[in-house]
Every structure is written in structure tokens, then in C-alpha cells.
Amino acid sequence: MGICGSPNATHGYAAEVHNTGEWQALIAHREALEGRHLRDLFDHDPSRGERLVAETDGLLLDYSKNRLTDETIELLAALADRTGLRGRIEALLDGEPVNTTENRRAWHGALRQPKPPPEVRQELDRLAAFAAEARDGRWQAVVNIGIGGSDLGPAMAAAALDAYADTELEARFLSNVDGAHFHEVTRGLDPARTLFIVVSKTFTTVETLANARTARVWIADAVGEHEASSHFAAVTANPAKAQEFVTDRGSVFAMWDWVGGRYSLGSAVGLSLMIAVGPDAFAELLAGMHHIDAHFRTAPWAENLPALLGLIGIWNRNFWDWPTYAVLPYSQALTLFPAYIQQLDMESNGKSVRADGTPAGIATGPVVWGQPGTTGQHAFHQLLHQGTDVVPVEFIGFCRANHGLGQHHDLLMANLFAQAEALAFGASDTGDPHRRFSGNRPSSIILSDQLTPRSLGQLVALYEHKVFTQATVWGINPFDQWGVELGKTLATGIAAELTGAAEPDPSRDSSTQSLINRYAGSRGSVTR
Ligand code: F6P
């Protein structure tokens, strides 16, 4: 077990990591690297591009274009040991209550075990049977109604694996409470041939319930009240509340309190994906996740892709003080992957208090952003190359395309490689300050053979465990999200006032109250 206060209070989470010798050694090492350019590092050691890589099951991580040396990796590995990362991984994957503030397991690893716990096996069999029936031609579309982890995972995966969607049935995703989203998502759909899956772990999320109720009216207006319920399924840890929409318990699927929303793609939350690509492809997704779980548990740190990605992220965040990083998939199919990683990373590690309740004392979760390449090159790469801030980049690419346009793929991948090269090495100075490319801007390249259900599962687990690695070193609990509660509470109060169910709060600030008054005064006049 790593350094910690009373183990029972923090259940092994590290504390005061910045006061360890390992942390201090990294500070000294960072100072020693000051002024070293990636050009120098490669000149000094031309083979580093072949050595500073790690690979497992067709997934390659090339981390040589980061501002680091072999010594850096050794010092980061020592930090991992000091903070008890190996023991934490075992606790995570063995289903111990690592979610300390909610006293729960974070056992998403169980969802993809080859021989999972009986309740998981049973639910997977139920889901497969339901998906097989849903794919039999009755439905034109399946619409997932959910938000956050009840949307981002399946939406991202359905887009990523569109090439594997082998039915006429279309998967769509409704998340925003903005009515425009309901109209957009249902546009062109026949209510009589539309299946809704209401996904909500708590079944109390305002946006999801509002959308589900509107969907039910939309269906009932078309097929009648009696028939309406057969157009709904539900995924929840609170089945009693699902009965408002689903009367047939055979269409209610379990998610357990030990699966966090942003870690739930491998659970029944993935039902819309399973319907789109079929149970066999979904099983491949789970197998890819499990491979990375096993790799994360056993691989030495210098060969451990999630640990390396996490530790290098800490090196960039805490020792180079870079507050953001960009996830740039050179894959249009991974359009939603950056948004998915935003929740996974920022809702897990966007915290300033350690698991033991003490202040973090150091920088924690970075800001994550990104868009697919090559599109982003025409939007924000100017800043990446010549901005005053350095932004570490995580590129994701695939050797084989899922389409037949080979020349397009060559152009796509040529751009990925070129961007990483330009960021790292820049260009020789022409004397024109406007055309100066300083280089020395770090990136990691994740290169997979092909985007398949299995490799997508690998990528998802890779990032889940990257986030866990960083939380372990920082000593924070990545599995709760108390930070989202205040906004929800305030919105509930304002919404009650807007519907006349409550009087205005006299203690409210003048800005918020003026805005509410203006909105309330003008909304009636808006006709469209
Ligand atoms: O964003 C807060 C959050 O609780 C997420 O963690 C969760 O994935 C999302 O809202 C939806 O919650 P539920 O699945 O309970 O509707």
C-alpha cells in the first residue's frame, strides 16, 4: 500500500505525494531538462523513437516525442510504486470499495471478465436476447435517452463502430433538455417503428425524465396509450422508477451502484450499441477492454500503456505546468471520442480535495479538449504550433481504414505523422518571426491496427486506467462527482419559479434575478 493517512479512512489512497522523495527527484530532474529541445534529445539518441514505445495486442503507444528521457520514466515508475499504484489496480479490479466517499466498488472491470459474476452474465444474456429481437426488423430506429455517462459512451461507440452496424436500424442519441434536440433526434422517424431506451442510473436526472416524458407523448399520440409502453426499454439502478415508462419488466435492465456512469459503456448502458452492431461485436468490445485490464494489472510500468499515459500526463501537468491536453483522433469515426474523454477525465479528476478530505496541494485534473484530425488542423492547430501556451497532444490513428478509400487514409495518416513531427521539431529559423516554428511541443501517438469493436474496447479501457493512474498518484477519488450537485439544486429552484411552483428567492443575487425576470418577461412573446 502506498503512502497514506489511516488506510481505513482513505482505503489506500495516497496523500501528500508532493512531499515524497520521488516527487522531489522529479522536480530536480525537470530542472535538469530545462532548455533541452526534442531536437537535441533525438540528436543525442537517434533510436529513441524506436525505444520509447510500448505495445500490447496491436495497440502501440509512441511516447518518444514527449520532453522526457529514460531517466524520466524510471523516476515516474518510482512515483507509481511510492503511491502504491500496483495495489490500487488490484483493489480496483478485484472489486474493493475504492470509491471511498460513496463507499462503493468501481467494478467496471467485472463487466468484461471472460467469466463475470453471475448477475453480470445473466444481464448480458438478457441484453443479447433483447438486442437480437430488436434487430429482427420491427424497429426503424433505436433512440437512447440519457445524458453524461448514460449517453456519451454509447453515442461515441455507435459512431465509432458505424462500419459494423449491420442492420437497417439506426441508433440515435437524445441527451440535451433543449427541445431542439428532441426535434433533431426524432426528425424523419416513424413513431410506430421507434424504440426508446431510457438510460439513467438514478432515474432522477431532470433532462432524461423530461425527454422521456416528451417521447412517451410522441409515441402515444401515434400508437395509443396501451401500445406506447412496448416502445420503451429502460436501463437503471432504480427499476421501480422506470415503471412510469416501461411496464414489462423484461425490458428493464440493471446497472449496479458499483458501476460509475462514465465507466458504464460495458454494462446495459451499451444496449443501444449492442442493438446497432449486434451482441457478438459487443462481446468483442468487452474482450478488448478486458485485455487492457489484464495488461494494466501485470505489465511493468515501462511497458504498461495506461500507466505510461497516466504518468506522462502527470509529468506534463505537474512538472511542466501545462494545464490542458488535446485528444486528437485522426479518425472521423471517433468524432465523439474527445467529448467522451472529457467526462471520463474531467468528471473523475477535476477535484481539489484528496480522498482523505485534505486539500490536494498540487494541480490535479487537466482540461481535456479536442476534435478529429484533419479538421482540427484548420481550426486550432495554429495555437498548437505557435501559441504562447504549450498543449501536449495525444494523437490516435489506425493503420487500416474501415472504408475502401485508401488514398484518403494515406493523406489522413500523413497529416497525423506530420503534425507530430512539426510540433516536436519545428523548423529552422528563416529570420521571419511570423514563420518561426519553435517545435519542442510534446505529443504521444497511439497507433492501432484498425478501428474495430476490440480496439475500441482497448482505447476505452486505456483511458479509464490512465485516469485511475493519475487519481492514484494525486490521492483523489476518481469515482464520485459531488461537483455537479450545486448546479442541479439551483436549477431545480429556478425552474420551480419559472413554472410558478415557487416564489422568487429574495436572497438571490441581482444579476441572476434580473436575467430570470428578463427571460420570464420575454419568453411568452416568442412564437417560434
Ligand atoms: O454529470 C453528473 C452525472 O451524475 C454523471 O455522472 C452521470 O453519468 C449523469 O449525470 C447521468 O446520470 P444518470 O445516469 O443517473 O441519469
Side-chain angles (χ1 to χ4, degrees), residues 15 31 219 227:
E31 287 161 3
I219 291 288
E227 173 67 14

Side-chain angles (χ1 to χ4, degrees), residues 73-322:
I73 300 302
E74 290 163 13
L75 293 173
L76 288 170
L79 183 67
D81 289 334
R82 188 76 172 84
T83 53
L85 180 58
R86 191 71 68 187
R88 303 293 300 140
I89 295 170
E90 287 163 3
L92 171 75
L93 296 176
D94 292 346
E96 293 184 25
V98 293
N99 178 356
T100 45
T101 58
E102 297 177 300
N103 191 28
R104 289 175 180 171
R105 299 175 288 180
W107 212 18
H108 38 285
L111 300 173
R112 57 256 196 161
Q113 290 172 357
K115 293 185 174 55
E119 67 267 37
V120 172
R121 180 73 268 159
Q122 177 188 356
E123 216 57 20
L124 280 171
D125 292 343
R126 293 184 66 231
L127 290 161
F130 184 88
E133 186 179 341
R135 286 155 54 87
D136 71 0
R138 174 182 177 189
W139 306 115
Q140 165 201 37
V142 57
V143 178
N144 183 97
I145 299 179
I147 198 164
S150 295
D151 163 71
L152 287 166
M156 177 278 295
L161 299 179
D162 185 53
Y164 298 84
D166 58 353
T167 72
E168 292 309 308
L169 190 152
E170 185 184 0
R172 295 192 185 181
F173 296 86
L174 173 58
S175 51
N176 201 327
V177 75
D178 179 345
H181 204 198
F182 180 86
H183 288 304
E184 174 197 329
V185 169
T186 56
R187 185 175 299 127
L189 296 186
D190 174 0
R193 299 193 63 215
T194 299
L195 171 68
F196 285 100
I197 303 175
V198 185
V199 183
S200 179
K201 182 173 180 178
T202 58
F203 236 85
T204 60
T205 303
V206 169
E207 300 96 321
T208 300
L209 295 178
N211 276 320
R213 287 171 181 144
T214 298
R216 196 170 189 304
V217 170
W218 187 70
I219 291 288
D221 285 353
V223 304
E225 279 295 336
H226 176 69
E227 173 67 14
S229 178
S230 71
H231 287 250
F232 285 83
V235 177
T236 184
N238 197 340
K241 294 205 170 181
Q243 287 176 14
E244 177 182 346
F245 304 97
V246 187
T247 51
D248 170 12
R249 292 190 59 78
S251 300
V252 179
F253 299 93
M255 62 184 296
W256 299 280
D257 71 1
W258 42 265
V259 177
R262 51 192 174 275
Y263 297 89
S264 64
L265 174 60
S267 75
V269 168
L271 177 55
S272 53
L273 171 69
M274 188 190 282
I275 292 171
V277 301
D280 291 346
F282 192 84
E284 274 300 296
L285 175 90
L286 297 179
M289 290 174 167
H290 178 69
H291 176 87
I292 297 298
D293 292 347
H295 168 80
F296 186 43
R297 185 195 285 264
T298 58
W301 302 137
E303 301 164 24
N304 193 309
L305 277 74
L308 282 167
L309 206 54
L311 292 167
I312 291 167
I314 283 180
W315 174 242
N316 291 336
R317 179 85 176 97
N318 293 104
F319 297 93
W320 290 97
D321 298 323
W322 297 320

